[in-house]
């Protein structure tokens, strides 16, 4: 030791290092990003918007007030899935499940945002309940013909396309969309259990009924509804993953052993390295692993093992990794809206880390020791990348920071608001003036997470490039949990 450097020097050195380390960790404002990620859902609302403080996105107005009339039912409400004016229930239900899971696992760090998350959840569940109960033996699964809607570039407030209603039934089954709807309602029932007991009971009662329908009448909604959902939201992974996911949520909500027996009999043991609105296997396994890690029930150990196998396929240094990362450090799964996979998988990273901490647990990927912090650090890296710590110094959350996408592929955002331009632009009147223009969008859809950069960390910010510039509800729903978790650390 150099005697010229006394103990105060080293104390000062370590203090400076500590402060620097924390400054690096606190570089992003997770609480600000969290609030904005939830605010985004106001811009996606369909139906009659409230006049109260729960509608602060003022450039949106009422839309879709006749939804369901074609089938003589009321299907007003819910969310438009992305940058179009269609209500697809399959991704909407997944969005709802992920918002609910985020609320359940992060109620304390959400703080004042918990109420806003509950409002966002209820906007979806009110609609999903209508879809599940309007006609006995029928589950409505969408409103609006996507093939017609996508030929128009118009505000939701001006929609003049046919609002076709789509459904599944006993003879035209849809186990995937039905089981996902059941998962959403069951998860939401837990969110509202202490704040609105009657609503919670309605949600759970409806979830049980919809799940029974999904399990009894097997078949994919892609086959039953066809071009109304394919290729947009085809159930590419089949319906067994949704049956597992739906049963897992009903098991958590009811503690009814019949759901556990159903899960054990399902045989959904395929390995996976992805999690999304289509493939729920990884999410179901993390959810079920809670039984082992949190409740200390050894009969759930197989799901803990499957969850760990998934993590080993995601972690970049794992010998079993099947996940590509860009040079900038972004998880890269697929070129079309890659950030949806990043946010969903990141949600599983923070959730599983939380369960591991509860059990004081670690595991190995080959010779690599995995601790809760291993998962948290990767989650933080992904979130920070999305918020601007990337080669382009671009925040992929609209309205967060100063450098963010200005030309997102989103009809309502790109056309002048009805409050400033009351006249309709018509179905195709918006294309030349507002779709193809290099000008920034007039309305900022605060909080929206776009599809993100390509595998070379490049983002062109072009409205016509929908695979990178279009936001989606499920991109946002999945990041609420990680943002809350990181803001509470």
């Amino acid at each position: 030791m150099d005697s010229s450097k006394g103990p105060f020097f080293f104390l000062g050195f370590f203090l400076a290092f500590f402060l620097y380390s924390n400054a690096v960790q606190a570089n992003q404002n997770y609480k600000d990003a969290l609030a904005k990620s939830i605010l985004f859902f106001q811009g996606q609302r369909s139906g009659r918007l409230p006049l109260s403080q729960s509608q602060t996105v003022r450039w949106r107005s009422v839309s879709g007030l006749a939804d369901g009339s074609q089938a003589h039912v009321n299907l007003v409400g819910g969310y438009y899935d992305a940058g179009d004016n269609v209500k697809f229930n399959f991704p909407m239900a997944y969005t709802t499940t992920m918002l609910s899971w985020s609320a359940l696992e992060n109620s304390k760090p959400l703080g004042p945002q918990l109420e806003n998350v509950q409002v966002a959840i209820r906007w979806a569940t009110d609609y999903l309940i209508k879809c599940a109960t309007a006609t006995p033996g029928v589950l409505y699964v969408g409103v609006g013909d996507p093939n017609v809607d996508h030929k128009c570039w118009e505000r939701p407030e001006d929609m003049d396309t046919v609002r076709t209603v789509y459904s599944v039934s006993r003879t035209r089954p849809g186990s995937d969309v039905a089981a996902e709807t059941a998962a959403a309602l069951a998860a939401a029932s837990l969110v509202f259990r202490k704040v609105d007991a009657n609503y919670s009971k309605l949600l759970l009662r409806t979830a049980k009924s919809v799940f029974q329908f999904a399990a009894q009448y097997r078949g994919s909604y892609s086959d039953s509804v066809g071009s109304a959902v394919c290729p947009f939201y085809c159930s590419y992974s089949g319906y067994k993953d949704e049956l597992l996911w739906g049963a897992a949520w009903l098991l958590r909500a009811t503690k009814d052993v019949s759901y556990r027996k159903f899960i054990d009999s399902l045989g959904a043991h395929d390995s996976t390295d992805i999690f999304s609105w289509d493939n729920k296997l990884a999410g179901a396994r993390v959810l079920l692993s809670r039984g082992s890690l949190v409740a200390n029930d050894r009969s759930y150990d197989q799901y803990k093992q499957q969850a760990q196998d998934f993590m080993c396929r995601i972690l970049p240094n794992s010998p079993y990794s099947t996940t590509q990362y860009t040079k900038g450090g972004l998880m890269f799964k697929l070129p079309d809206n890659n950030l949806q996979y990043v946010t969903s998988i990141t949600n599983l990273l923070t959730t599983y880390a939380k369960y591991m901490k509860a059990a004081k647990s670690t595991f190995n990927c080959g010779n690599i020791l995995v601790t809760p912090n291993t998962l948290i650090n990767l989650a933080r890296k992904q979130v920070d990348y999305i918020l601007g710590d990337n080669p382009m110094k671009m925040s992929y959350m609209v309205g967060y920071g100063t450098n963010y996408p200005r030309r997102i592929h989103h009809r309502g955002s790109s056309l002048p608001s009805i409050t400033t331009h009351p006249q309709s632009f018509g179905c195709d009147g918006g294309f030349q003036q507002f779709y193809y223009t290099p000008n920034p969008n007039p309305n900022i859809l605060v909080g929206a997470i776009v599809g993100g950069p390509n595998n070379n960390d490049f983002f062109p910010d072009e409205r016509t490039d929908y695979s990178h510039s279009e936001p989606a509800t499920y991109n946002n729903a999945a990041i609420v949990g990680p943002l809350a978790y990181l803001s509470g650390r």
Side-chain angles (χ1 to χ4, degrees):
M1 179 183 289
D2 184 344
S3 60
S4 66
K5 295 181 174 69
F8 290 105
F9 171 85
F10 291 99
L11 179 64
F13 173 82
F14 285 117
L15 180 61
F17 178 78
F18 174 79
L19 290 172
Y20 172 76
S21 299
N22 279 276
V24 170
Q25 285 196 349
N27 193 33
Q28 299 297 344
N29 188 337
Y30 298 125
K31 286 188 176 180
D32 180 47
L34 172 64
K36 286 172 176 171
S37 71
I38 301 164
L39 177 63
F40 156 79
F41 287 94
Q42 291 188 19
Q44 298 301 113
R45 285 173 169 172
S46 180
R48 189 172 296 283
L49 306 190
L51 299 174
S52 64
Q53 289 181 335
S54 62
Q55 183 65 38
T56 56
V57 178
R58 301 296 186 189
W59 50 266
R60 281 296 324 283
S61 188
V62 298
S63 63
L65 296 184
D67 281 2
S69 60
Q70 189 193 67
H72 309 290
V73 291
N74 175 8
L75 301 180
V76 175
Y79 291 113
Y80 302 118
D81 70 301
D84 55 19
N85 302 324
V86 183
K87 297 191 302 201
F88 293 99
N89 288 23
F90 194 33
M92 195 195 305
Y94 173 74
T95 292
T96 311
T97 310
M98 293 306 291
L99 279 173
S100 297
W101 200 4
S102 297
L104 290 169
E105 300 295 350
N106 302 281
S107 58
K108 285 186 179 178
L110 273 167
Q113 293 302 326
L114 178 59
E115 187 175 343
N116 292 329
V117 176
Q118 290 168 348
V119 170
I121 293 166
R122 188 159 186 159
W123 194 271
T125 52
D126 281 353
Y127 165 78
L128 292 174
I129 288 170
K130 291 178 185 178
C131 291
T133 60
T135 305
V138 172
L139 175 67
Y140 294 99
V141 300
V143 183
D145 184 336
N147 297 290
V148 174
D149 178 89
H150 291 176
K151 292 176 182 175
C152 299
W153 196 260
E154 60 184 344
R155 303 174 296 203
E157 293 82 3
D158 294 335
M159 277 187 296
D160 50 9
T161 55
V162 177
R163 299 296 285 170
T164 310
V165 175
Y166 301 97
S167 64
V168 294
S169 62
R170 297 181 183 96
T171 55
R172 297 170 64 246
S175 298
D176 27 36
V177 67
E180 181 60 70
T181 301
L185 297 174
S189 76
L190 291 165
V191 174
F192 291 102
R193 186 163 284 178
K194 291 182 179 177
V195 293
D196 191 336
N198 287 335
Y199 189 61
S200 174
K201 289 173 184 174
L202 171 62
L203 288 165
L204 188 55
R205 188 166 63 246
T206 311
K208 290 177 181 177
S209 174
V210 175
F211 186 79
Q212 184 179 0
F213 168 80
Q216 189 171 349
Y217 304 99
R218 303 279 178 104
S220 174
Y221 95 130
S222 302
D223 297 328
S224 298
V225 187
S227 63
V229 295
C230 292
F232 317 104
Y233 293 106
C234 265
S235 183
Y236 296 103
S237 66
Y239 57 78
K240 191 176 280 189
D241 56 310
E242 278 81 29
L243 289 174
L244 178 67
W245 178 239
W249 275 109
L250 278 160
L251 177 61
R252 181 166 174 179
T254 66
K255 296 181 170 61
D256 184 336
V257 295
S258 68
Y259 292 111
R260 176 62 195 274
K261 290 176 181 175
F262 179 89
I263 289 167
D264 292 341
S265 70
L266 198 56
H269 299 304
D270 293 351
S271 60
T272 185
D273 65 355
I274 205 159
F275 180 48
S276 69
W277 58 261
D278 178 38
N279 192 324
K280 319 296 166 36
L281 287 175
R285 288 161 184 170
V286 168
L287 178 61
L288 290 167
S289 75
R290 185 175 178 271
S292 172
L293 290 165
V294 180
N296 200 27
D297 183 340
R298 298 299 300 274
S299 72
Y300 287 91
D301 279 1
Q302 64 171 316
Y303 302 107
K304 178 180 74 171
Q305 184 60 53
Q306 289 174 338
Q308 291 173 0
D309 290 346
F310 171 77
M311 299 301 165
C312 289
R313 289 169 175 266
I314 299 301
L315 289 166
N317 296 325
S318 163
Y320 309 116
S321 181
T322 56
T323 302
Q324 178 187 345
Y325 287 82
T326 68
K327 287 182 180 178
L330 180 68
M331 196 182 294
F332 199 86
K333 285 294 181 182
L334 290 167
D336 189 353
N337 187 7
N338 178 60
L339 288 188
Q340 67 171 305
Y341 308 108
V342 178
T343 60
S344 285
I345 292 170
T346 299
N347 189 294
L348 296 188
L349 291 171
T350 54
T351 302
Y352 197 68
K354 183 189 173 192
Y355 295 168
M356 287 175 68
K357 281 192 169 187
K360 297 181 170 60
S361 170
T362 63
F363 64 92
N364 284 76
C365 297
N367 61 348
I368 305 294
L369 175 67
V370 180
T371 69
N373 281 340
T374 308
L375 304 184
I376 293 164
N377 289 339
L378 178 57
R380 186 189 299 275
K381 173 72 176 174
Q382 300 309 300
V383 170
D384 287 355
Y385 185 108
I386 291 170
L387 296 181
D389 187 7
N390 57 63
M392 290 197 68
K393 305 301 179 190
M394 166 78 76
S395 163
Y396 294 108
M397 176 183 284
V398 175
Y400 177 86
T402 56
N403 185 28
Y404 53 82
R406 305 283 177 165
R407 300 163 189 82
I408 66 172
H409 183 96
H410 189 279
R411 286 157 176 80
S413 170
S414 68
L415 288 148
S417 169
I418 196 167
T419 60
T420 59
H421 192 286
Q423 296 81 20
S424 170
F425 291 100
C427 167
D428 53 9
F431 276 110
Q432 202 58 46
Q433 196 174 354
F434 303 108
Y435 178 67
Y436 293 112
T437 177
N439 295 334
N441 289 7
N443 308 308
I444 298 175
L445 184 58
V446 174
I449 295 177
V450 297
N454 64 17
N455 60 351
N456 293 315
D457 298 298
F458 177 71
F459 178 78
D461 194 14
E462 292 176 358
R463 196 176 295 106
T464 55
D465 182 18
Y466 65 85
S467 65
H468 298 108
S469 68
E470 187 171 18
T473 53
Y474 37 90
N475 295 18
N476 274 66
I479 207 172
V480 168
L483 285 170
Y485 186 89
L486 292 172
S487 69
R489 283 175 61 79

